[in-house]
Amino acid sequence: MRLSRLALQLCSAVVILAGAVTAWSAKDAALVVPAVAPRTNILAGRHDAFRAYGTTGEGAAAFAKLKADLDRDWLAMPFPAEPVTYGDPTPSKRDSAKADRWRAVQDTCGRITGVAEAATLCWIVTGEEKYLAKAKEILLGVSRWHFAPDWQSGPVVGATDIYYNDEAHFRLWRKLPLVYDQVRAHLTPDEKKIVLDHFRERGRRSAEWIEREGNISKITRNSIVADLSSHPVRFMPMTGLTALALWDDLPEAREWWAFAYKFYRDQFSPWGGDDGGWAEGSAYWRGTFEHAAFQDALLALDDPLAYASSFWKNSPLFALYNVQPYLHTTFGDTSNAGRFNLEPAVADYMEHVARVQQNGFFRAYAELCTDQRTRPIDKGLEDLSRTYPTAAEFLVRNFIASAFPLPPTRLLNELPPHRHFADVGWVSLHSALGRPADDIHVTFKSSPYGSFSHSHADQNSFILNAYGEGLAINSAYREFHNSPHHAQWTRQTISKNALLIDGLGQKAQSKAATGRITRYQTGERYVLTTGDATKAYATTQPKGRVKRVTRDLVFVDKRYVVLRDRVELTTSAKLSWLLHAERALAWDGATNTAFIRGESATLTTRLALPGADWTGRVTDHFPVPVDPKYARGEITGSYLTGKWHDQQHLTLESQDAATSFTVWSVLWPERNGTAPVELQIASTGDAFIVTRPDGRTDTFLLTDDTFDLR
């Protein structure tokens, strides 16, 4: 559909949004809004305090870096030409070259708004007119840009319209109204008209798009029943903040504020619930940084709702339990060559919430960060193209939180070593929480969120990290969204430590491909969890064929893992059992043993396979290659610390079709080592016996209702 034909949809969205706001009284939301502007970032009456914070207080070093970078590199920057279109913007039509042009438009917007934001803060602190002039130049320049481009006629202006490149719009709209909020008194009436005419249209289109694309008014907490989408949810904070900034200038801003305030009070987060989970995965959990900006605004307004919900109190735990300081794979999309870690931005955020919530565990976790990249607060104006939140945002955020002391650290081993995030169907198990070099870390997932949005078709899959590195990995690169590799490998069950039925896994990008954690119990020597992925596998099989697909996972003595996979079908099929590693993975069919050798740790996996005829095949390449320019390292950035390389993939397949399978497996991680450890296993009915490398013998009695470890 051409963008110029969106009028009917826009009108419909206006009606929906107006109904969503008027159906709920906005009186409570308005009560917290200050009587005078500025109402965002540095509030009225707090400018002197910010000057002191940025010159002699905790923010002095960060402000000095920001100002030096602005003076040296950006103050003389000419205002850029308005970005032009690059063809059909539909994500499914985006190839590698178009992804570059799509990002280039975002980069332009990120640079100019980052400069405008920094110039505004420098003007507030120093009072120098050159900084005010720079902020006004950018504010007025962008206010002359266009909407609704007719991209089918060729490259034309208007590429920052939310309906064309929503990420470009995002980088403009989340900052420029806040700049205006600080400098409005220094604009002439004609200049204000230019800015507000543009803001009225951009804001209208933004609010309408968010509702149309994300069904925001219908969203409920911890649920994807509504027809929601990732980006509209992510754009809600700026809807509220721009409303505050434009409170006196645009009547509709008060509707935007009520819309956003109600969303955060009553509906947030659709991606998780009281346990603090984030269904889109660890990397997209960073989206809470953006939502926290709204909480920080409430904090500055002394609203008691700031960070008050169970979600906000528990959300930092999702990172604490699932993200190690070293690079490793995780569930869901990641942009850093398929890996994630406790990066400086995460550490700084954890320190921030440690202050706000007076939680010493969060501070202790932040201090585990070993990533040598520059802390965001110290980056100044480096890497403005892709970075958000920016150093200036961290400076303002830290100023708001500076009223709270940094709490003393608390040892992480005082926390339970294991946690079930029931809201999103994740289980995280640790042998040495808070000591990454000694820790065996197992993550198991069976989620009611299906494979929707940035999730993958990975119900009942697991990831095992140990002693500082990933061993059994999630094989999941993403060069750009919906690339051939991303769509045909990363999102698919075949790239997970999971099962296939007749070569098929679970349907990708499906709300129906759900799993659920049906059991989570702890004992003196074990943690047992069970995932049911029957519905997920049924999405790719003939109707009625799949009766049961369950996986039991037992973490024993904080030392090793036992899995039991059970599959029941109405018609015979072949079963595949999958395992993935970064590099060295070997299979010994004589002993049914897989061996993964990492740089500092190994993983021995011994299986008890039903029947006598299974074949094992290890491949050392992806069936759908990574985009060549990414594989060659031509795409770089401060966010990219991982490396693109082929990984190793084990497929064990039954040669005989059957209607019932029970597969037991034992996974034993070890420090260093060059060869598989000695594991002896035997299974009889519901009993499974493991003779361990340390000479001990464990007997597991496992049914659907009972469990005993002897």
Side-chain angles (χ1 to χ4, degrees), residues 475 484-485 488-489 494-495 619-626 646 649:
S475 178
H485 179 83
Q488 299 171 45
W489 174 259
I494 195 172
S495 66
T619 57
D620 61 359
H621 61 277
F622 298 114
V624 183
V626 173
D646 281 321
H649 320 285

Side-chain angles (χ1 to χ4, degrees), residues 303 337-338 351 361 365 384 386 408 517 621 658-659:
D303 189 334
E351 188 174 293
F361 293 125
Y365 177 66
L384 276 182
R386 302 281 167 86
I517 300 294
H621 61 277
T659 57

Side-chain angles (χ1 to χ4, degrees), residues 464-513:
L464 192 151
N465 307 309
Y467 310 122
E469 66 179 314
L471 294 173
I473 68 168
N474 176 22
S475 178
Y477 289 155
R478 187 184 71 152
E479 320 96 312
F480 57 92
H481 190 74
N482 214 38
S483 72
H485 179 83
H486 179 231
Q488 299 171 45
W489 174 259
T490 293
R491 284 176 172 162
Q492 306 298 327
T493 312
I494 195 172
S495 66
K496 317 303 173 192
N497 299 313
L499 305 175
L500 303 178
I501 299 171
D502 273 346
L504 297 176
Q506 308 156 21
K507 187 176 181 180
Q509 292 294 279
S510 169
K511 288 185 179 181

Side-chain angles (χ1 to χ4, degrees), residues 444-447 458-462 497-498 506 515-516 530-534 537 549-551 565:
F444 182 64
K445 178 184 176 186
S446 201
S447 175
D458 54 8
Q459 314 309 337
N460 282 11
S461 66
F462 70 92
N497 299 313
Q506 308 156 21
R516 60 192 180 103
T530 300
D532 185 340
T534 304
Y537 282 94
V549 182
T550 61
R551 170 171 275 177
D565 290 299

Side-chain angles (χ1 to χ4, degrees), residues 520-537:
Y520 175 78
Q521 65 187 62
T522 60
E524 185 178 350
R525 295 183 54 205
Y526 70 88
V527 181
L528 164 67
T529 187
T530 300
D532 185 340
T534 304
K535 289 184 177 179
Y537 282 94

Side-chain angles (χ1 to χ4, degrees), residues 222 272-278 310 314-315 317-322 331 415-430 433 441-449 459-460 515-522 527-532 551 553:
N222 197 190
D274 289 350
D275 296 317
W278 195 265
S310 295
N314 290 323
S315 173
L317 294 173
F318 192 67
L320 190 153
Y321 277 93
N322 291 306
F331 291 123
L415 289 170
H418 319 301
R419 186 171 174 88
H420 174 204
F421 293 90
D423 52 351
V424 295
W426 288 41
V427 174
S428 184
L429 311 172
H430 289 267
L433 184 65
H441 175 202
V442 182
T443 316
F444 182 64
K445 178 184 176 186
S446 201
S447 175
Y449 280 82
Q459 314 309 337
N460 282 11
R516 60 192 180 103
I517 300 294
T518 61
R519 178 163 50 177
Y520 175 78
Q521 65 187 62
T522 60
V527 181
L528 164 67
T529 187
T530 300
D532 185 340
R551 170 171 275 177
L553 185 152

Side-chain angles (χ1 to χ4, degrees), residues 227-390:
D227 190 20
L228 78 162
S229 179
S230 181
H231 282 197
V233 173
R234 179 169 134 240
F235 291 7
M236 281 303 291
M238 70 183 185
T239 302
L241 294 180
T242 57
L244 274 182
L246 301 173
W247 186 265
D248 292 326
D249 303 285
L250 300 178
E252 52 266 60
R254 303 192 179 203
E255 294 180 356
W256 302 340
W257 171 250
F259 185 51
Y261 193 89
K262 176 182 182 296
F263 175 74
Y264 282 105
R265 191 192 67 176
D266 301 337
Q267 300 167 260
F268 184 79
S269 161
W271 304 118
D274 289 350
D275 296 317
W278 195 265
E280 294 182 296
S282 296
Y284 275 80
W285 167 86
R286 284 179 299 184
T288 56
F289 294 6
E290 194 69 17
H291 298 290
F294 189 87
Q295 300 304 307
D296 290 331
L298 297 182
L299 198 66
L301 299 176
D302 295 322
D303 189 334
L305 290 183
Y307 290 103
S309 71
S310 295
F311 171 83
W312 282 109
K313 292 184 183 303
N314 290 323
S315 173
L317 294 173
F318 192 67
L320 190 153
Y321 277 93
N322 291 306
V323 180
Q324 294 279 3
Y326 52 86
L327 286 172
H328 58 88
T329 62
T330 184
F331 291 123
D333 281 343
T334 57
S335 57
N336 181 19
R339 300 168 188 84
F340 196 54
N341 69 323
L342 172 52
E343 59 188 10
V346 173
D348 276 16
Y349 174 71
M350 295 296 290
E351 188 174 293
H352 176 64
V353 291
R355 280 184 185 267
V356 172
Q357 299 189 23
Q358 290 297 289
N359 189 312
F361 293 125
F362 300 161
R363 180 182 177 186
Y365 177 66
E367 291 176 355
L368 291 177
C369 179
T370 57
D371 191 320
Q372 295 303 303
R373 285 176 290 177
T374 306
R375 292 178 58 197
I377 190 64
D378 298 325
K379 290 186 73 168
L381 297 183
E382 296 174 15
D383 195 30
L384 276 182
S385 300
R386 302 281 167 86
T387 298
Y388 75 90
T390 60

